[in-house]
Amino acid sequence: DVIHEMYVPRMERVDVNYILTHTRGFTASHKQFSVVCNPSPLPILLLDQGLFKCIHGNAIRNALKYGEKGGPIRTEATYYFETGWLEMKVINLPGPGHAQLIAMGPRASELVFSHGTRLHKDSHSNQRSHSAGDGAWIMHKCATILGGSVQITFEEDHTEFVFRAPCKVYDAPLREADHFHLPSGVWGIAIDDSKIQRKLLRRFFVHAGIQEHHQIILGQNNEEISSFVEFVVDFIKRHPDNLFLVIVDENLELGDGISNHETISGSECIQRIRVTLDSENEKKMLALVRSANDSPQDLAIYTSRAHGYMPKVPLQGMSVREMVAPLWAERFPLVKRGSNNEPEEPDPDDRVTSIESLRDLTLISPAELKSLLKQVDAIAVRNADNNLADRWPVLWEKLHQLKGDLKTVNVDDKFTRAINEIESMRGGTAPADFMSKWLVIRTDVVFDS
């Protein structure tokens, strides 16, 4: 849809500051990257997060691949309040073949964003090639959908990529979110195979306004995962007078070993639930996918199957309400939000009396992170002489789970390097330097947690 410019942008709250300083999948030294924002910090903007990440990620990737090896890469982002436009520049030092690009003049910039052309010499052949395959062409498509533009200039001492697009400041919804709570009587149903995530989801529901006696958190064993669809369908049918917020992790693991392992897609579970329920019951549910993967392709899949998507990020009261408020308002525009109406009184033994007491119950301990680390370590190191390819599917699922847990507790960026190392290994086969990457991840988690 993006390529054919049929994609309809999903405008949502986006913290550009966070995206620019958390570049996914790159393992270069932090000293290689610098970010300058004007104003600093940038305001929270209304953007399509997937399109913006695609543009920024490809710009950084091109600078790494075709600029000076190990050279500094500088991102400059400016928001112009008077015009309502965002400008982002990615600047790198010249790499091989830069003189020839300068000699081409303005024609070089035009060809960079053309489909199927290459300007840089391929490192493994004598063919001339576009700097990122079709990456720059796709960047141009993304910018066009946003009503903006991209361009690149090759100067004597640097290369400068520029993205410009109109976007609004996300301010009015923030004021709404400050007082937002879900209506009384809403049930929160969630599933995740990570113990850490299940504890965080309990806190999430409380911040959204769902008390513990209306929470159901599943995923601690194979039975809860395999029967989740049937459980949700039956539960909604048995509660005809309630509304439901359903949050499902995208990657749910079944089995307990390399030979007995299966991954269930959470978004497919939601799709099955929606298809199984009749239209009246389906209308009572807001079903969201929660995942650590947020590429444009991933987001397109999630939104085609579910009602929306939630990233795995550190949870705070306001950020929870900012995520839920617009999704709830879009799904249930005629339902009055939570106010002074008190929910039904729960049984005393089940009630959590305050957010503070719940926080005490759900603090994530270093031991819990290290427990998952040991699981990955056992698979990575065990039978190390055997072909890593045999272990890679289950190993990657464990790494993905670890990445999601690290992202939700990465408040001070202390796990950013480990997260990026895991993201750089995403794919169907294990990287050749897997063990060196794993040692970096293990060291960071052990010493920072």
Side-chain angles (χ1 to χ4, degrees):
D1 286 349
V2 170
I3 291 174
H4 297 289
E5 297 181 18
M6 297 172 61
Y7 175 78
V8 178
R10 182 182 178 86
M11 309 307 281
E12 59 183 332
R13 175 191 184 276
V14 174
D15 185 350
V16 173
N17 306 279
Y18 184 86
I19 293 175
L20 297 182
T21 55
H22 292 73
T23 308
R24 54 177 280 177
F26 305 126
T27 57
S29 167
H30 290 302
K31 295 180 180 178
Q32 185 177 4
F33 300 98
S34 62
V35 177
V36 177
C37 296
N38 184 26
S40 182
L42 293 169
I44 302 299
L45 300 175
L46 193 64
L47 269 174
D48 185 300
Q49 180 173 249
L51 295 181
F52 181 75
K53 283 189 171 183
C54 179
I55 294 169
H56 174 246
N58 273 291
I60 295 293
R61 191 172 294 108
N62 285 353
L64 279 170
K65 190 173 183 180
Y66 299 107
E68 179 183 278
K69 186 175 182 179
I73 298 173
R74 179 183 176 91
T75 300
E76 299 178 358
T78 304
Y79 185 75
Y80 298 96
F81 286 93
E82 62 274 16
T83 60
W85 279 67
L86 172 68
E87 178 183 80
M88 179 188 70
K89 297 180 180 180
V90 176
I91 304 166
N92 62 271
L93 297 180
H98 191 77
Q100 292 91 326
L101 295 174
I102 293 176
M104 294 180 66
R107 179 64 174 158
S109 179
E110 295 176 11
L111 289 174
V112 164
F113 299 108
S114 299
H115 180 34
T117 60
R118 282 184 175 263
L119 294 181
H120 286 87
K121 196 170 185 179
D122 192 286
S123 58
H124 302 293
S125 71
N126 292 323
Q127 294 181 345
R128 298 174 66 82
S129 59
H130 179 279
S131 55
D134 284 331
W137 176 62
I138 293 174
M139 292 162 70
H140 171 70
K141 293 288 187 181
C142 292
T144 300
I145 290 172
L146 291 172
S149 64
V150 289
Q151 67 181 66
I152 191 168
T153 55
F154 302 98
E155 305 292 348
E156 292 289 340
D157 59 350
H158 71 276
T159 297
E160 181 177 284
F161 166 86
V162 183
F163 160 69
R164 297 184 181 92
C167 58
K168 297 179 181 179
V169 174
Y170 188 95
D171 55 355
L174 286 175
R175 293 194 293 271
E176 286 293 314
D178 190 33
H179 304 287
F180 175 83
H181 279 84
L182 294 175
S184 62
V186 172
W187 280 91
I189 303 176
I191 185 168
D192 201 298
D193 54 20
S194 162
K195 179 181 178 181
I196 289 176
Q197 296 303 321
R198 291 196 296 272
K199 294 176 74 174
L200 289 172
L201 284 165
R202 289 200 178 278
R203 186 190 303 177
F204 181 98
F205 280 146
V206 167
H207 281 311
I210 302 176
Q211 292 201 1
E212 179 136 337
H213 71 288
H214 264 207
Q215 297 179 20
I216 300 173
I217 313 292
L218 304 171
Q220 65 178 340
N221 55 49
N222 288 343
E223 182 180 357
E224 290 186 354
I225 294 173
S226 61
S227 63
F228 178 70
V229 171
E230 292 75 15
F231 172 83
V232 174
V233 170
D234 178 68
F235 193 86
I236 291 177
K237 288 180 177 179
R238 289 190 291 107
H239 294 78
D241 300 323
N242 296 93
L243 298 177
F244 302 86
L245 173 59
V246 181
I247 301 175
V248 184
D249 179 53
E250 171 59 11
N251 293 282
L252 299 169
E253 288 188 65
L254 281 176
D256 53 7
I258 296 175
S259 60
N260 180 29
H261 178 265
E262 179 185 357
T263 301
I264 294 178
S265 165
S267 59
E268 287 187 354
C269 289
I270 291 176
Q271 189 175 45
R272 288 170 54 200
I273 292 169
R274 296 178 65 187
V275 170
T276 305
L277 289 171
D278 60 49
S279 60
E280 287 303 311
N281 279 317
E282 198 274 338
K283 289 178 182 178
K284 298 186 298 182
M285 173 183 67
L286 171 61
L288 307 175
V289 182
R290 191 162 178 259
S291 176
N293 293 332
D294 55 6
S295 71
Q297 296 92 333
D298 293 323
L299 295 178
I301 292 173
Y302 303 155
T303 54
S304 69
R305 297 171 177 172
H307 300 125
Y309 157 78
M310 283 175 46
K312 287 189 175 178
V313 294
L315 297 180
Q316 298 173 346
M318 177 56 74
S319 63
V320 167
R321 294 190 289 273
E322 288 171 6
M323 279 190 279
V324 175
L327 293 167
W328 187 267
E330 180 181 355
R331 181 66 174 162
F332 305 111
L334 301 180
V335 176
K336 185 179 179 180
R337 73 182 186 196
S339 57
N340 295 327
N341 297 328
E342 292 295 325
E344 61 191 66
E345 188 71 11
D347 293 334
D349 292 341
D350 294 334
R351 184 173 183 178
V352 174
T353 57
S354 69
I355 291 178
E356 288 302 321
S357 65
L358 181 65
R359 183 177 291 116
D360 292 338
L361 294 173
T362 56
L363 285 174
I364 305 306
S365 69
E368 289 174 314
L369 277 178
K370 291 175 182 177
S371 174
L372 179 56
L373 196 73
K374 289 179 180 179
Q375 294 179 39
V376 181
D377 202 44
I379 301 172
V381 177
R382 183 177 55 194
N383 300 323
D385 295 334
N386 293 348
N387 189 353
L388 184 60
D390 296 335
R391 289 172 283 145
W392 183 246
V394 64
L395 185 55
W396 170 247
E397 291 303 326
K398 291 293 184 183
L399 284 168
H400 182 268
Q401 181 180 334
L402 177 62
K403 181 182 75 169
D405 289 346
L406 292 177
K407 290 183 78 170
T408 53
V409 297
N410 193 37
V411 178
D412 299 319
D413 295 337
K414 60 184 179 181
F415 298 122
T416 297
R417 184 172 73 157
I419 292 169
N420 287 341
E421 287 284 3
I422 296 175
E423 182 61 35
S424 71
M425 293 189 281
R426 186 180 184 185
T429 57
D433 57 346
F434 167 75
M435 286 308 300
S436 63
K437 289 179 179 292
W438 173 240
L439 289 175
V440 171
I441 296 166
R442 183 169 61 177
T443 300
D444 283 2
V445 175
V446 168
F447 285 98
D448 286 333
S449 60

